Every structure is written in structure tokens, then in C-alpha cells.
């Protein structure tokens, strides 16, 4: 039975929502501290709390899968070394791989580039019961495409409304959308690049393009400010996650996702069979039920 929704499902506000961007809010990123953490927490306490949230998440994912009514789409955006991969490993790692999928958005292939910019995102949207993580997303088309002038201004400017319509459509079909901008400082980015240089096991991650992109830092901040100001809605909100401390980033993201899924008040579906009858017929009969013993 397909469940359609005639009105938008809003994501309720939680106790821990200082990072959520209210709709229409004009964002000035310099007011957000990327090294923020809650001062009563240290790294070990933070990790323990993250573990508590990921355990909740695993239980909630089970319900999402069992219910087959809704789906969850998580968009992760960040500059290079911002921590998208680490977030996926730490926050999503404990989930059941059955029912979870990660899709990474790269430079569009020839086939993708031959379609409208939302085509490839729509194809990867979650089906009912599924959790999908976009590692980068359709937002690249108003970020890298703008900063590198891959399309004219008149084109990328139209895309904010198109994205809002797209996400509205997904939401009406039962998809809960959470969008995270993992924000680090330029100093922290350079420190992480240097760590890669110092660790041969991470040399493969280094690209000259990453250093090149640093030159566009300010342009990216501006592009992100517009994204956050124009596409954060009650039903598909953006969160600016302070990400200089990896442990705090993991805590903040896992808590928001778990709180959001919990608020859906999902329940296991009613059984489609008569449980008492099955128990009586197959489990309580003398000589072990309907199947004769092979002894
Ligand atoms: P990475 O995430 O490090 O594997 O790099 C993926 C690269 O693909 C990044 O440099 C993105 O900016 C780039 N990319 C992703 N989507 C697009 C897009 N729509 N147009 C152009 N470049 C893109
Ligand atoms: Mg990269």
C-alpha cells in the first residue's frame, strides 16, 4: 500500500538545534565558530555520547525499514578535508547495510551532463524504507558550478527555486531530508592536508586541485551563505556543523539525525498474519507441529 502525503512533513525543532538555519534567514558564516564544542564535554565523553546516538539510530533505522512508509535522505556538503568521509564512517557505520546506501557525486559523467542537473540526484533518491547519504549532492550545481563559472549566473540563480521544488516533491513522497554543511576553518584544512602529507597511507588522498581550491575559499563561503539562506526550509533544513573537532562533528550530526527520526514516532507494522493461530498450529502441536520429525 503506497502512502502519499498531501502536506509537507516538517522537521520538528529539538533541544539541540543551534546549528539549524531558519527559513529565509540571511546567513553570515563569520558568526559561526567552526571550533565550537559544548564545554562540559571532552573528546572521550563526546565519543561515548555519539555511540549512544548511533545505537538509537540503528534502532530507528530498523523501524524505518520495517515501516516501509518513509525514507531518509542526508546531504553532506563540505570543502575538501571537511570530514564527509569520516562522518559517514562514524555515524552511518553502525547502521544495517541492508537499507542504507551512500552515493558520491563527482564531476558529472557525459550521460549525466546530457540531462538537467537534478536528474542524477533524483535517480539516487531513496526508496521507501531506505536511508541514503549523498556525499556531495545536487548542491554542487550552485557551489562549484558558481565558483568556477561552469554555468552563467542567470542559470545557477534559477537553481535555488528548482532545488526547493525538487526537495518539496521528495518530502511529499515521504522522504525526510536533512542537510549538513560540515564547516572547518582554513587553518584546520591546511593542518589536515599536512597530516595527509606526513602519513604515507593517506598520500593517495592528496590532489593538487585541493590546494588550488583553497584559493577560492572566500568565494565558496559566499556561495554557501546563499545556499543556506535560500534553501533551508522547515521540511528540508540546513545545519551548519562546527567541524574543526571531529568528535564534536560526529556527536552533533548523529544527535540531529536520531532526534529527527525519533520524532516521526515510527512503529513496527501490524502483522499480516494471525500470530496466535500460527503459534497454535506450528509451535504448540504435539510431535513438533505440521512438519513430521526427520528423526
Ligand atoms: P571528491 O569528493 O574529492 O571525490 O571530489 C569530487 C569532485 O567532483 C569535487 O571536486 C566536486 O567539486 C566535483 N563535482 C561534484 N559535482 C559536480 C558538479 N555538478 N559539477 C562540477 N563538479 C562537480
Ligand atoms: Mg577531494
Amino acid at each position: 500500500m503506497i502512502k502519499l502525503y498531501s502536506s509537507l512533513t516538517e522537521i520538528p525543532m529539538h533541544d539541540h538545534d543551534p546549528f539549524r538555519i531558519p527559513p529565509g534567514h540571511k546567513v553570515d558564516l563569520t558568526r559561526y565558530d567552526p571550533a565550537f564544542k559544548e564545554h562540559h564535554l571532552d573528546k572521550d565523553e563526546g565519543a561515548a555520547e555519539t555511540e549512544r546516538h548511533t545505537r538509537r539510530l540503528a534502532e530507528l533505522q530498523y523501524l524505518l525499514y520495517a515501516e516501509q512508509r518513509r525514507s531518509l535522505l542526508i546531504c553532506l556538503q563540505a570543502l575538501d578535508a571537511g570530514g564527509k568521509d569520516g562522518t559517514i564512517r562514524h555515524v552511518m557505520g553502525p547502521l544495517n547495510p541492508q537499507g542504507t546506501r551512500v552515493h558520491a557525486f563527482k564531476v558529472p559523467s557525459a550521460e549525466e551532463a546530457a540531462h538537467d542537473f537534478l536528474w542524477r540526484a533524483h535517480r539516487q533518491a531513496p526508496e521507501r524504507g531506505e536511508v541514503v547519504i549523498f556525499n556531495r549532492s545536487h548542491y554542487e550545481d550552485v557551489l562549484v558550478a558558481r565558483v568556477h563559472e561552469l554555468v552563467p549566473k542567470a542559470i545557477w540563480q534559477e537553481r535555488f527555486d528548482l532545488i526547493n521544488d525538487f526537495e518539496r516533491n521528495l518530502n511529499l513522497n515521504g522522504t525526510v531530508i536533512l542537510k549538513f554543511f560540515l564547516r572547518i576553518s582554513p587553518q584546520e584544512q591546511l593542518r589536515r592536508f599536512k597530516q595527509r602529507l606526513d602519513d604515507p597511507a593517506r598520500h593517495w588522498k592528496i590532489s593538487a586541485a585541493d590546494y588550488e581550491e583553497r584559493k577560492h575559499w572566500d568565494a565558496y563561503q559566499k556561495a554557501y551563505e546563499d545556499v543556506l539562506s535560500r534553501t533551508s526550509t522547515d521540511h528540508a533544513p540546513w545545519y551548519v556543523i562546527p567541524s574543526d573537532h571531529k568528535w564534536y562533528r560526529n556527536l552533533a550530526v548523529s544527535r540531529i539525525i536520531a532526534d529527527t527520526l525519533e520524532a516521526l514516532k515510527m512503529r513496527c507494522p501490524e502483522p499480516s498474519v494471525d500470530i496466535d493461530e500460527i503459534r497454535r498450529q506450528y509451535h504448540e502441536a504435539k510431535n513438533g507441529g505440521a512438519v513430521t520429525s526427520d528423526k
Side-chain angles (χ1 to χ4, degrees):
M1 198 188 349
I2 300 292
K3 174 92 177 131
L4 297 173
Y5 298 83
S6 57
S7 60
L8 293 166
T9 305
E10 295 189 358
I11 310 296
M13 296 292 286
H14 312 295
D15 295 342
H16 305 288
D17 262 355
F19 314 130
R20 177 165 168 170
I21 307 297
H25 180 71
K26 184 94 187 59
V27 175
D28 171 1
L29 278 175
T30 61
R31 300 170 72 97
Y32 293 77
D33 175 11
F36 176 85
K37 55 189 163 69
E38 287 159 46
H39 287 292
H40 64 285
L41 287 172
D42 65 20
K43 186 175 174 177
D44 290 341
E45 287 163 330
E49 200 180 322
T50 300
E51 207 184 307
R52 200 162 59 75
H53 294 306
T54 54
R55 265 202 305 274
R56 287 167 68 210
L57 247 181
E59 285 170 21
L60 290 158
Q61 182 211 1
Y62 181 82
L63 284 178
L64 187 87
Y65 189 77
E67 238 196 10
Q68 290 290 315
R69 281 183 57 182
R70 299 173 189 276
S71 58
L72 174 65
L73 173 61
I74 296 166
C75 296
L76 289 183
Q77 285 290 157
L79 296 185
D80 295 304
K84 299 188 300 300
D85 296 343
T87 303
I88 292 170
R89 204 169 54 245
H90 283 97
V91 178
M92 306 300 159
L95 300 189
N96 184 346
Q98 178 149 283
T100 313
R101 187 157 55 82
V102 180
H103 184 78
F105 287 77
K106 307 286 184 184
V107 175
S109 67
E111 188 189 25
E112 288 168 347
H115 292 81
D116 71 273
F117 81 100
L118 288 169
W119 180 77
R120 65 177 184 160
H122 208 163
R123 293 179 84 204
Q124 298 297 336
E127 57 187 47
R128 275 162 222 285
E130 201 180 24
V131 176
V132 169
I133 299 126
F134 281 2
N135 182 348
R136 300 188 192 269
S137 65
H138 43 295
Y139 284 95
E140 290 295 326
D141 293 281
V142 284
L143 292 164
V144 68
R146 168 178 177 175
V147 171
H148 287 280
E149 300 178 6
L150 305 179
V151 294
K153 183 173 181 184
I155 299 289
W156 60 253
Q157 265 192 333
E158 276 300 314
R159 290 180 172 172
F160 297 108
D161 288 344
L162 294 169
I163 287 174
N164 286 335
D165 286 346
F166 169 60
E167 292 178 357
R168 201 168 149 267
N169 176 33
L170 294 186
N171 181 282
L172 285 171
N173 203 47
T175 302
V176 171
I177 306 173
L178 297 173
K179 305 178 291 198
F180 298 103
F181 173 31
L182 310 177
R183 183 155 173 272
I184 56 172
S185 64
Q187 298 79 10
E188 176 64 14
Q189 188 192 49
L190 196 59
R191 208 181 60 77
R192 292 186 188 180
F193 283 177
K194 177 74 171 35
Q195 274 180 342
R196 292 178 178 177
L197 275 184
D198 296 341
D199 177 0
R202 288 198 248 180
H203 282 177
W204 68 273
K205 281 195 164 197
I206 302 169
S207 86
D210 288 350
Y211 288 89
E212 240 348 87
E213 281 297 84
R214 271 176 69 78
K215 294 184 188 151
H216 302 287
W217 189 275
D218 292 341
Y220 271 110
Q221 300 302 306
K222 172 103 192 36
Y224 268 106
E225 283 177 347
D226 280 355
V227 162
L228 299 164
S229 304
R230 300 198 51 185
T231 62
S232 194
T233 58
D234 287 330
H235 57 274
W238 270 107
Y239 298 83
V240 179
I241 304 295
S243 300
D244 275 3
H245 300 289
K246 294 176 181 175
W247 64 268
Y248 189 70
R249 171 202 74 203
N250 294 339
L251 166 58
V253 170
S254 60
R255 187 166 59 193
I256 291 165
I257 303 172
D259 284 352
T260 300
L261 288 184
E262 199 162 74
L264 294 177
K265 302 203 184 315
M266 297 179 289
R267 298 169 49 190
C268 277
E270 292 298 316
S272 57
V273 294
D274 182 340
I275 296 291
D276 288 338
E277 173 61 19
I278 298 247
R279 182 176 285 124
R280 204 183 49 69
Q281 199 179 339
Y282 296 104
H283 297 274
E284 286 172 4
K286 302 221 168 48
N287 79 13
V291 179
T292 48
S293 162
D294 31 294
K295 262 192 243 157

